[in-house]
């Protein structure tokens, strides 16, 4: 909402790793042509239903963010809200190159991911760990992107989504982490335990998570 209000969104928009479609739905409601892509068919199905309920028509599809074949030079703005930190180093490089191929000259990329910072004792691990700023700089600049701003921010989240990592329920996104390597499973478990300890101290289960925000543009 802030990006849109300050003029950071223009042209055809890609909401990459769109999940349940919150950003796609909001931007479509503001009149933008939006495409939301995610690797989860279940998420895309729910995003379509939520968009229909909201009375807007973004385009949703299942896709691999590291290989957007068929989307060449399609977009003017890319919004990544917490996808980058879900990828390993090889996938991040492929992802940055994929974003270059699917965008037009002068395109802007707005990216938010878990940082190595500490906010009031809260640290993030994520499936692949927190992301050093050096990793972001090296990956983006090596794949045709110039960073205009990179700095710390926070992400207001519902802590219940993270405490289920320690005690997953059947409908939890963390109900089965067996597909992750052992060290990643341990990171997820540890983060869930930390969140479970903090939850009792929170108001309305809301917590600020340490994040890095990046604004970059495509170098032609």
């Amino acid at each position: 909402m802030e990006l849109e209000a300050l003029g950071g969104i223009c042209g055809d928009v890609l909401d990459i790793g769109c999940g349940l479609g919150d950003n796609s739905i909001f931007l479509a409601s503001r009149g933008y042509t939006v495409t939301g892509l995610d690797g989860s068919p279940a998420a895309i199905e729910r995003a379509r239903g939520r968009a229909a309920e909201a009375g807007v028509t973004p385009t949703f599809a299942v896709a691999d963010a590291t290989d957007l074949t068929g989307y060449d030079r399609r977009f003017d703005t890319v919004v990544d809200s917490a996808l980058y930190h879900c990828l390993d180093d090889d996938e991040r490089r492929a992802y940055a190159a994929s974003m270059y191929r699917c965008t037009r000259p002068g395109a802007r990329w707005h990216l938010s991911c878990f940082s190595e910072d500490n906010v009031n004792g809260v640290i993030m691990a994520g499936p692949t760990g927190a992301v050093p700023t050096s990793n972001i700089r090296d990956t983006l600049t090596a794949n045709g992107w110039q960073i205009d701003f990179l700095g710390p921010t926070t992400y207001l989240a519902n802590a219940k989504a993270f405490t289920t990592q320690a005690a997953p329920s059947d409908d939890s996104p963390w109900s089965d982490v067996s597909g992750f390597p052992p060290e990643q499973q341990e990171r997820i478990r540890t983060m869930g335990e930390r969140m479970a300890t903090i939850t009792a101290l929170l108001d309305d289960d809301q917590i600020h998570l340490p994040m890095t925000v990046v604004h970059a543009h495509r170098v032609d």
Side-chain angles (χ1 to χ4, degrees), residues 90-112:
D90 288 340
E91 290 169 334
R92 289 169 187 166
R93 287 188 286 270
Y95 171 44
S98 179
M99 292 302 98
Y100 186 91
R101 290 192 301 272
C102 77
T103 52
R104 297 175 179 136
R108 288 179 282 186
W109 185 4
H110 306 294
L111 183 158
S112 298

Side-chain angles (χ1 to χ4, degrees), residues 16-102:
I16 189 67
C18 66
L20 303 183
D22 292 286
N23 290 330
S24 295
I25 292 168
F26 169 73
L27 293 173
S29 76
R30 300 293 293 169
Y32 297 94
T33 300
V34 185
T35 299
L37 302 178
D38 198 279
S40 167
I44 290 298
E45 181 178 356
R46 290 187 62 186
R48 287 172 176 154
R50 296 176 78 223
E53 291 175 0
V56 294
T57 56
T59 299
F60 290 110
V62 178
D64 178 354
T66 66
D67 181 17
L68 294 185
T69 301
Y71 290 95
D72 291 3
R73 287 179 168 252
R74 181 80 64 88
F75 305 106
D76 303 291
T77 304
V78 177
V79 176
D80 170 353
S81 180
L83 170 62
Y84 188 87
H85 59 238
C86 296
L87 309 174
D88 63 27
D89 286 343
D90 288 340
E91 290 169 334
R92 289 169 187 166
R93 287 188 286 270
Y95 171 44
S98 179
M99 292 302 98
Y100 186 91
R101 290 192 301 272
C102 77

Side-chain angles (χ1 to χ4, degrees), residues 59-178:
T59 299
F60 290 110
V62 178
D64 178 354
T66 66
D67 181 17
L68 294 185
T69 301
Y71 290 95
D72 291 3
R73 287 179 168 252
R74 181 80 64 88
F75 305 106
D76 303 291
T77 304
V78 177
V79 176
D80 170 353
S81 180
L83 170 62
Y84 188 87
H85 59 238
C86 296
L87 309 174
D88 63 27
D89 286 343
D90 288 340
E91 290 169 334
R92 289 169 187 166
R93 287 188 286 270
Y95 171 44
S98 179
M99 292 302 98
Y100 186 91
R101 290 192 301 272
C102 77
T103 52
R104 297 175 179 136
R108 288 179 282 186
W109 185 4
H110 306 294
L111 183 158
S112 298
C113 65
F114 289 155
S115 76
E116 295 183 305
D117 294 335
N118 181 317
V119 178
N120 297 325
V122 176
I123 59 174
M124 296 308 298
T128 58
V131 182
T133 55
S134 59
N135 176 280
I136 300 171
R137 291 186 185 279
D138 293 347
T139 302
L140 268 61
T141 56
N143 287 281
W145 294 92
Q146 180 172 314
I147 295 175
D148 303 307
F149 176 83
L150 185 155
T153 188
T154 61
Y155 196 107
L156 186 61
N158 186 332
K160 287 184 177 179
F162 294 93
T163 56
T164 54
Q165 296 175 36
S169 61
D170 290 341
D171 60 351
S172 164
W174 310 101
S175 57
D176 182 8
V177 296
S178 59

Side-chain angles (χ1 to χ4, degrees), residues 85 92 123-130 162 165-166 174 177 180-194:
H85 59 238
R92 289 169 187 166
I123 59 174
M124 296 308 298
T128 58
F162 294 93
Q165 296 175 36
W174 310 101
V177 296
F180 292 119
E183 65 275 13
Q184 293 180 13
Q185 293 183 40
E186 181 61 19
R187 287 195 195 106
I188 293 171
R189 185 192 63 78
T190 300
M191 185 169 66
E193 290 178 348
R194 289 177 64 89

Side-chain angles (χ1 to χ4, degrees), residues 190-211:
T190 300
M191 185 169 66
E193 290 178 348
R194 289 177 64 89
M195 289 294 180
T197 301
I198 294 168
T199 298
L201 308 175
L202 302 177
D203 292 328
D204 300 324
D205 296 313
Q206 292 189 325
I207 189 168
H208 286 275
L209 307 179
M211 303 284 286

